[in-house]
Amino acid sequence: MEYHHISELRECANAYLFLLQNHKFGYNEPTNESVKRLHKAIANVKLNEIGKVMSRFNVNQSLIINEGVEPTLIIIDNLTKEIGNNMPKIIKEIDPEVGNVFRFCNDVSKVLRNEFEKMKSRRYNDPTRDDEQAFEKLNLYCCGGYGDIAFDDFVKEYIINDLTHIAIVRRLNYLIGKCQNEQIKRELHKHLDWHKCNKDVISELHEALVDFIRFFDYATDVSPIPSHHNRVEVTTRLFNAIEWCKSHDKDFKFQLLNFPLLKDVEDLSVSATTLIEGFDNWSSIVGNDAVVLQLFNDIAYFLDNAIEPTIKQRNGNATEIPESQLLSSSGKAADDVTPSNTSTFMDLMLLDSDEQKQKLLATLHSLIVGKKKKGKYVALVFLICEKYGLISKPTHNLLTPIFGEIGSKSGYNNYFKKGLSVYTDTEIMGIEEHILPFVNGH
């Protein structure tokens, strides 16, 4: 079947409708040409092939929606209504087989309406001619045609300049699908992810977290639900969202505070917590991947210093998020306050100078305070300190007033008793990196 069969159906249905509407005024065709023509057109239309025919059209480079499908639907619906209201009379005076027309109109209307909705949605995906021209510009850039202009500047000035958000997303998706250069594709993905964040960082960050969690849960047999993306894709998407949050800290805070539904912000908090708590399950495949390990740290920081404080503020449990908790480009708070009442804890330190003790205390504070990982993780920190002769084992009761919530007492004591054998090399090295500078007073 071809599109001209649908066009013919539209013209025939319109002529048939004209005949029905004007028959009562004396209008008739001696040979019933309109009746014969419509039945022939109906026979040529295969309902199960309409979708295939419509898929051949680019909705942004044709008039298929406004001058094709939509007018056909209007005519078919009007014809159905006219027949339904006057079927007995039509059978007697015009078309004994009008029942077949009525049933066909009902069936084809459902199919066309479904295709109509599909085609409207394709406005966000089918490339325009300008999108195709943008791909030509991209090819010229890759061949050196734009000189030494930085890629980010090229994209902003010559690819997405003055476009609406929807048009930017459509164009970047089209370019990503056509591009063969993996490095360029990654850069295009960054711009795509960042523009989604500009519009709605809460949803974009939440979806990036869900994709990331789903991939690693399935990869480690935690969940039977497969991911639709690979490791590079889920890592890149989350990385790009996090980089946006770091670079737009005030915008991130503003969206958190003003997002229409608090529940969506709370769902973001749940996803962030799930990611952090999943680290132990995923450590075997995360390995020494510095990018992924940094993602865990960044999400933990966002959760404690932006997302959860915002939820408390919106629930009326806090008056304001302190400026010191705004996210900087490094992902750290503007300043950290070292707790007081630490004299007893300092006595457990085996360092020579008070200055070194204060520096170690500040490092421990940065490792522990605000992290979602509690008992097992905290025990590891002090096991490393004990291993290198920096601190004698501190009790849970001593640590809580200094570092806040560190997990249950039984959990902390249990992991400390088991020692370093229950930790992976990656976990141990991650803490040693911060502790080793204090060994031998360096």
Side-chain angles (χ1 to χ4, degrees), residues 58 65 112 121 136 138 151 166 318 327 340 372-373 400 410:
N58 180 314
I65 293 179
L112 282 175
S121 69
E136 294 177 6
L138 182 64
F151 185 73
I166 291 174
L327 305 176
S340 57
K372 299 303 289 185
K373 295 177 286 185
T400 300
S410 60

Side-chain angles (χ1 to χ4, degrees), residues 205-368:
L205 185 56
H206 178 261
E207 291 173 10
L209 285 168
V210 170
D211 281 350
F212 188 92
I213 293 166
R214 183 170 293 162
F215 172 82
F216 281 94
D217 271 353
Y218 184 75
T220 52
D221 296 324
V222 174
S223 168
I225 303 174
S227 171
H228 298 300
H229 306 283
N230 60 42
R231 178 167 179 158
V232 172
E233 290 171 341
V234 300
T235 301
T236 300
R237 185 181 185 185
L238 184 56
F239 177 85
N240 289 339
I242 288 175
E243 288 300 298
W244 186 95
C245 293
K246 289 181 179 180
S247 301
H248 303 78
D249 54 343
K250 291 185 178 179
D251 290 337
F252 182 36
K253 177 189 173 186
F254 179 84
Q255 289 200 38
L256 285 168
L257 284 172
N258 296 279
F259 205 75
L261 295 178
L262 175 59
K263 183 182 182 301
D264 291 337
V265 182
E266 292 171 337
D267 288 344
L268 177 62
S269 176
V270 171
S271 296
T273 302
T274 301
L275 181 142
I276 295 164
E277 292 178 344
F279 180 80
D280 286 344
N281 294 327
W282 306 335
S283 59
S284 61
I285 63 171
V286 169
N288 294 318
D289 189 328
V291 173
V292 174
L293 293 173
Q294 185 60 46
L295 292 180
F296 282 98
N297 290 333
D298 288 336
I299 290 299
Y301 184 83
F302 287 4
L303 183 63
D304 291 336
N305 293 281
I307 300 172
E308 288 190 344
T310 300
I311 293 173
K312 291 179 181 179
Q313 182 175 345
R314 291 182 61 163
N315 281 326
N317 297 327
T319 56
E320 184 179 1
I321 300 175
E323 285 296 319
S324 63
Q325 288 186 344
L326 287 177
L327 305 176
S328 68
S329 60
S330 64
K332 296 182 179 180
D335 58 351
D336 289 321
V337 180
T338 302
S340 57
N341 302 322
T342 59
S343 57
T344 304
F345 178 75
M346 300 282 274
D347 289 340
L348 295 177
M349 292 186 182
L350 306 177
L351 294 167
D352 295 331
S353 70
D354 289 339
E355 181 183 359
Q356 282 294 93
K357 290 182 179 181
Q358 287 291 347
K359 289 182 179 179
L360 177 57
L361 178 59
T363 297
L364 295 173
H365 193 262
S366 68
L367 287 172
I368 298 171

